[in-house]
Amino acid sequence: MPKVLVSDPIDQVGVDILSQVAQVDVKTDLSPEDLIRIIPDYDALMIRSGTRVTKDVIEAGNNLKIIGRAGVGVDNVDVLAATRKGIVVVNSPEGNTIAAAEHTLALMLAMSRYVSEANQSVKSGKWDRKSFTGVEVYKKTLGVVGLGKIGAHVASVARAMGMKLLAYDPFISHERAEQLGCRLVDLDLLFQESDYITLHIPKTAETTHLINAAAIAKMKPTARIINCARGGIIDESALADAIKSGKIAGAALDVYEQEPLKESALRELGKEMVMTPHLGASTEEAQVNVAIDVAEQIRDVLLGLPARSAVNIPGLRPDLLEQLRPYLQLAETLGNLVAQLAGGRIESLNIRLQGELATNQSQPIVVAALKGLLSHALQERVNYVNASLEAKERGIHVIETRDASIRDYTGSLHLSAKGSLGEHSVSGALLGDSEMRITSVDDFPVNVPPNRYMLFTLHRDMPGIIGKIGSFLGSFNVNIASMQVGRKIVRGDAVMVLSIDDPLPEGVLSEILKVPGIRDAYTVTL
């Protein structure tokens, strides 16, 4: 009989489901050394946020077939190491949707009616009604930043409460927004017109401190902000200053840049500030839901069935996984790259398999490209199981073509993304068994390996421009790891691709665009 280790506390219903097909051992508070020592005995591992499943744990798990995270994020699992070993990693991306949405609405109402402060006042023996005159949400404008499942549910309930809805989500179609009763707008307009602003986006390089002093300056003095998504999306110092000075009316936070919250100016604020200790998923129902969801997936995989919410590659044998892995990584990398070059809302993705790749199994490669396309915005919410569905819900039209006649490389992949800001394309190929190369950008030929941080420019092919960019970056202490230029004709347009060691400092990209001869410039983080 298979053996399952549960190393974090989960609801008993999850243990009961697993017990149908396996011997279940619940051993919590294991040290990393103890986990590595006992994991070889187990076929499956079920965790929450407490257990860190490192590469060493995975390497020791010689019998592991699946790792299940009872929750959304899988930051505490080395997914790449698990994938390489053929271990399925699953989570519960929808188990806490209602809990997080309802907590958002609870904070909005509590902030509007000063529930927490009024509660403390009465409990202290007072009867002070005048100090707690609140505001109604009825007919107020709610700006929803991120229309994923949680944001969509918040929007639906808010609409039923009589609120007007604005939304910002560059990866969702106007049709989907209209179904939810939302008017899709740009971020600046949302900031300017909203009475309430609620955040439902992952924390990325682009969304870190999305709500900062400059953003707050665009808001109404009566605006109120709610964040039950991720800490770090809000500049907490700027938020505290804005509330103290009356630039905005208040805020309600469930997540923070550092958790547990330490010394913070937010603690010094009065009734305008509502704070809870990361309770978004802390309902009895949510804990039951994620336990059931993940336990059922572990049970299915142990029975030889596919998992429905795998964050890596579900249903592939380890030998097939190893054969396809380099192409899947190439497709995901190119999808991530073309999404950042295109920017804005993607309307269509053309995936062309070339050379010998055109004769191979294509569906996993298409899914990998979609996962890369959406991962920059959705982070852990997109995986190899739901990438196609997420793309469909966002109105992204996917076109797959094949061209076995192209012989420049044994097998190559070409992606073209059309979006609200224009159209861009990239091609890539494998050298040897697994060495990835970007072989074209917007049909300009190049040959560069993908890098964590990259800078792309479109410029006139003219003497001195490469030196100007190099000197300019050097003046900001930006080190260039590699550089290549691709052109079609002499003295025409050209593309320059630079791999850099660190992200560009803030404001540098706008300065690059001022360099004579530079037509456009993009930064990419892979």
Side-chain angles (χ1 to χ4, degrees):
M1 175 178 277
K3 295 179 66 177
V4 179
L5 173 63
V6 178
S7 61
D8 289 320
I10 65 165
D11 193 273
Q12 181 62 36
V13 67
V15 176
D16 294 341
I17 291 171
L18 293 171
S19 298
Q20 299 171 4
V21 297
Q23 173 188 323
V24 183
D25 295 334
V26 179
K27 298 180 180 180
T28 60
D29 299 319
L30 290 169
S31 69
E33 294 76 18
D34 286 340
L35 180 58
I36 291 172
R37 178 175 54 81
I38 68 173
I39 199 64
D41 296 334
Y42 292 94
D43 300 273
L45 173 63
M46 186 169 180
I47 63 170
R48 288 183 63 194
S49 59
T51 301
R52 294 198 62 80
V53 187
T54 63
K55 181 179 179 180
D56 290 339
V57 173
I58 290 166
E59 289 299 322
N62 292 325
N63 294 316
L64 274 182
K65 300 174 180 65
I66 181 170
I67 299 166
R69 161 71 161 97
V72 177
V74 288
D75 294 344
N76 53 329
V77 179
D78 190 330
V79 177
L80 180 59
T83 301
R84 285 176 172 165
K85 200 164 182 180
I87 300 170
V88 178
V89 181
V90 302
N91 67 348
S92 180
E94 300 180 28
N96 63 2
T97 295
I98 300 301
E102 288 186 354
H103 196 61
T104 299
L105 294 160
L107 289 183
M108 180 174 68
L109 293 171
M111 173 174 51
S112 300
R113 300 303 298 268
Y114 305 121
V115 171
S116 178
E117 293 284 337
N119 171 62
Q120 290 300 319
S121 176
V122 174
K123 285 185 174 179
S124 67
K126 299 178 182 178
W127 192 258
D128 180 7
R129 298 174 65 190
K130 293 183 179 179
S131 297
F132 304 111
T133 302
V135 296
E136 297 178 4
V137 301
Y138 180 63
K139 290 189 177 180
K140 297 297 194 306
T141 297
L142 175 64
V144 184
V145 181
L147 272 182
K149 292 180 175 63
I150 297 173
H153 190 74
V154 169
S156 297
V157 176
R159 184 186 184 189
M161 294 168 64
M163 300 188 79
K164 302 172 185 177
L165 300 176
L166 299 179
Y168 170 78
D169 189 328
F171 291 88
I172 203 161
S173 67
H174 285 275
E175 291 76 17
R176 173 59 176 160
E178 289 173 0
Q179 288 174 2
L180 296 169
C182 296
R183 179 162 62 98
L184 212 55
V185 297
D186 63 37
L187 204 52
D188 283 349
L189 187 61
L190 184 145
F191 289 156
Q192 293 166 14
E193 295 192 2
S194 296
D195 300 296
Y196 294 85
I197 297 168
T198 180
L199 306 173
H200 301 286
I201 52 178
K203 182 186 176 184
T204 66
E206 285 70 27
T207 62
T208 298
H209 286 186
L210 178 72
I211 305 297
N212 52 28
I216 291 171
K218 300 171 185 175
M219 299 177 189
K220 299 177 180 180
T222 55
R224 292 172 169 86
I225 301 169
I226 309 106
N227 186 16
C228 291
R230 290 288 186 269
I233 297 173
I234 296 176
D235 182 338
E236 293 173 3
S237 176
L239 178 65
D241 290 343
I243 294 175
K244 283 181 183 178
S245 63
K247 291 180 180 177
I248 60 172
L253 304 184
D254 186 48
V255 290
Y256 309 90
E257 292 194 67
Q258 288 189 340
E259 296 183 6
L261 183 65
K262 299 180 181 178
E263 292 298 322
S264 171
L266 297 173
R267 294 181 185 273
E268 302 169 8
L269 300 172
K271 63 183 181 181
E272 298 83 11
M273 186 77 212
V274 176
M275 304 168 72
T276 54
H278 206 146
L279 300 179
S282 296
T283 65
E284 294 178 5
E285 293 87 350
Q287 297 310 308
V288 170
N289 289 341
V290 297
I292 292 174
D293 189 3
V294 173
E296 287 180 345
Q297 293 185 77
I298 292 175
R299 177 200 63 193
D300 290 348
V301 168
L302 293 179
L303 291 174
L305 302 172
R308 60 178 173 267
S309 294
V311 300
N312 52 2
I313 304 171
L316 292 180
R317 302 188 313 273
D319 58 334
L320 184 56
L321 170 64
E322 191 60 28
Q323 176 185 339
L324 286 178
R325 181 172 59 83
Y327 287 111
L328 296 171
Q329 290 178 338
L330 174 66
E332 188 171 340
T333 299
L334 293 179
N336 194 347
L337 172 57
V338 78
Q340 294 182 64
L341 292 178
R345 181 174 57 84
I346 304 298
E347 299 168 358
S348 65
L349 179 68
N350 192 315
I351 304 169
R352 188 165 74 236
L353 293 83
Q354 303 175 153
E356 289 186 7
L357 192 57
T359 64
N360 287 356
Q361 185 179 358
S362 65
Q363 187 56 28
I365 295 170
V366 172
V367 171
L370 288 173
K371 180 178 183 294
L373 186 82
L374 297 169
S375 64
H376 191 65
L378 303 184
Q379 300 290 305
E380 70 269 6
R381 283 164 40 199
V382 63
N383 56 49
Y384 284 94
V385 172
N386 66 11
S388 296
L389 179 60
E390 293 281 0
K392 183 178 180 181
E393 288 183 346
R394 282 159 177 75
I396 299 173
H397 183 50
V398 181
I399 305 164
E400 177 191 341
T401 58
R402 297 167 180 262
D403 187 353
S405 65
I406 295 179
R407 299 296 182 187
D408 289 346
Y409 297 90
T410 301
S412 62
L413 192 63
H414 178 86
L415 304 185
S416 177
K418 183 179 180 181
S420 56
L421 301 180
E423 186 170 359
H424 288 271
S425 65
V426 295
S427 295
L430 297 176
L431 299 184
D433 292 333
S434 59
E435 190 176 349
M436 289 188 286
R437 285 288 189 274
I438 301 167
T439 57
S440 78
V441 176
D442 291 334
D443 295 324
F444 289 91
V446 295
N447 190 335
V448 293
N451 191 61
R452 172 67 172 164
Y453 304 109
M454 304 185 79
L455 171 64
F456 294 78
T457 70
L458 175 65
H459 62 273
R460 283 199 331 239
D461 182 25
M462 53 187 276
I465 198 164
I466 296 173
K468 286 179 183 178
I469 295 298
S471 298
F472 183 79
L473 293 178
S475 69
F476 284 91
N477 199 33
V478 175
N479 194 48
I480 299 173
S482 68
M483 184 277 295
Q484 188 173 121
V485 173
R487 64 184 186 181
K488 299 174 185 176
I489 60 172
V490 176
R491 304 280 180 157
D493 282 341
V495 162
M496 180 163 48
V497 183
L498 297 100
S499 297
I500 52 181
D501 291 341
D502 300 291
L504 284 187
E506 188 174 351
V508 172
L509 187 63
S510 60
E511 293 300 316
I512 289 174
L513 289 167
K514 297 177 184 178
V515 174
I518 296 292
R519 302 190 189 279
D520 219 337
Y522 309 85
T523 55
V524 167
T525 302
L526 297 176

